[in-house]
């Protein structure tokens, strides 16, 4: 099948899985923003998305998309390097003719991808392992209950090392998506000079706002400034 055997087909698969993962990140960010204002509301969402059959099925689907995206990324990177040396992609223009963020991202997609993968493993350990997996297997003796997502957020970001690692991870995702967003749409047919500039600008703004949402949550809990905590600078 051409989707799996041809270079163009693999790029289409990469694009579709990438856009699906961006949609998930959008949902995840919106969910995390709830934790800024209400721990009770956030835990209600966590309970709804606990070890229920639909949540487990959705998690398996996301895992499949992520694995396909990662595997195809390495395959395409190897092919591009073989065909064009160290160039990952043919396009290496700057975002909106500006700072060169997209050019940097396009040249370093493999390194960024590795950082993102390592960050994903850490994130799964901190949250999925202690929440959904713990609930499925009936794990006991945890610091917080599996359904206490708010408690796990507090626990994780009370550790400065985790805060630094998450900030690095979020920055890597931002760089990755500044290139990946418009590249995916271009592969799916949104091409031409006019649309390319528009997509780059829209993608840059959207991805920046999305990653800022994640960053705000991390830093707000790290410094005790989340309104839901009602402590620290929140009381000033």
């Amino acid at each position: 099948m051409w989707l799996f055997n041809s270079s163009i087909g693999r790029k289409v698969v990469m694009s579709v899985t990438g856009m699906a993962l961006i949609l998930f990140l959008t949902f995840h960010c919106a969910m995390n923003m709830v934790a800024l204002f209400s721990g009770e509301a956030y835990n209600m969402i966590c309970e709804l998305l606990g070890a229920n059959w639909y949540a487990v099925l959705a998690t398996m689907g996301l895992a499949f998309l992520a694995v396909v995206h990662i595997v195809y990324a390495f395959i395409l990177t190897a092919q591009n390097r073989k065909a064009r040396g160290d160039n990952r992609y043919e396009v290496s223009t700057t975002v909106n003719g500006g700072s060169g963020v997209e050019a940097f991202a396009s040249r370093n997609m493999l390194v960024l991808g590795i950082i993102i993968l390592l960050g994903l493993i850490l994130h799964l350990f901190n949250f999925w392992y202690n929440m959904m997996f713990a609930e499925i297997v009936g794990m006991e003796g945890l610091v917080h209950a599996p359904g206490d997502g708010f408690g796990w957020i507090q626990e994780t970001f009370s550790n400065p090392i985790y805060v630094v690692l998450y900030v690095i991870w979020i920055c890597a995702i931002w760089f990755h998506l500044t290139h990946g967003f418009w590249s995916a749409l271009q592969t799916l047919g949104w091409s031409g000079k006019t649309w390319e500039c528009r997509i780059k600008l829209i993608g840059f703004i959207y991805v920046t706002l999305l990653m800022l949402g994640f960053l705000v949550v991390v830093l707000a809990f790290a410094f005790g400034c989340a309104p839901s905590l009602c402590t620290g600078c929140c009381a000033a």
Side-chain angles (χ1 to χ4, degrees), residues 6 24 36 55 63 68 91 103 109 139 165 176 182 195 208 216 224-225 233:
S6 69
F24 167 71
L36 285 176
V68 170
V91 181
M109 289 297 273
M139 193 180 300
L165 291 176
H176 184 82
W182 79 263
W195 274 108
T208 299
V216 165
C225 296
C233 62

Side-chain angles (χ1 to χ4, degrees), residues 3 9-23 65 68-69 180 183-185 187-188:
L3 279 175
R10 294 189 181 105
K11 288 183 179 180
V12 170
V13 172
M14 275 280 292
S15 300
V16 173
T17 55
M19 295 307 295
L21 291 172
I22 289 176
L23 289 176
L65 290 174
V68 170
H69 191 78
S183 180
L185 291 180
T187 297
L188 295 175

Side-chain angles (χ1 to χ4, degrees), residues 162-233:
Y162 282 150
V163 172
V164 172
L165 291 176
Y166 269 82
V167 169
I168 294 173
W169 186 39
I170 291 170
C171 290
I173 296 175
W174 179 75
F175 274 110
H176 184 82
L177 293 185
T178 53
H179 174 80
F181 186 95
W182 79 263
S183 180
L185 291 180
Q186 184 184 55
T187 297
L188 295 175
W190 292 67
S191 58
K193 289 185 178 181
T194 301
W195 274 108
E196 181 177 316
C197 293
R198 291 174 180 174
I199 291 172
K200 283 184 179 181
L201 180 59
I202 293 171
F204 185 81
I205 294 173
Y206 184 82
V207 167
T208 299
L209 292 175
L210 182 62
M211 291 300 105
L212 278 177
F214 284 107
L215 187 62
V216 165
V217 172
V218 172
L219 297 180
F221 278 90
F223 292 101
C225 296
S228 55
L229 296 174
C230 295
T231 59
C233 62

Side-chain angles (χ1 to χ4, degrees), residues 72-82 87-89 110:
Y72 272 47
F74 279 102
I75 292 175
L76 287 172
T77 299
Q79 288 180 339
N80 288 332
R81 280 188 166 180
K82 183 177 180 180
N87 292 325
R88 273 64 158 180
Y89 298 87
L110 179 60

Side-chain angles (χ1 to χ4, degrees), residues 32-110:
N32 285 0
M33 295 299 287
V34 173
L36 285 176
F37 303 100
S38 173
E40 183 179 352
Y42 183 76
N43 281 347
M44 287 178 61
I45 298 174
C46 291
E47 184 177 352
L48 180 65
L49 300 176
N52 302 299
W53 68 268
Y54 50 82
V56 174
L57 186 62
T59 301
M60 293 173 61
L62 282 169
F64 174 76
L65 290 174
V67 169
V68 170
H69 191 78
I70 292 169
V71 170
Y72 272 47
F74 279 102
I75 292 175
L76 287 172
T77 299
Q79 288 180 339
N80 288 332
R81 280 188 166 180
K82 183 177 180 180
R84 295 186 295 274
D86 291 332
N87 292 325
R88 273 64 158 180
Y89 298 87
E90 292 180 359
V91 181
S92 61
T93 57
T94 62
V95 176
N96 202 31
S99 64
V101 172
E102 189 276 326
F104 171 84
S106 68
R107 290 194 300 266
N108 295 278
M109 289 297 273
L110 179 60

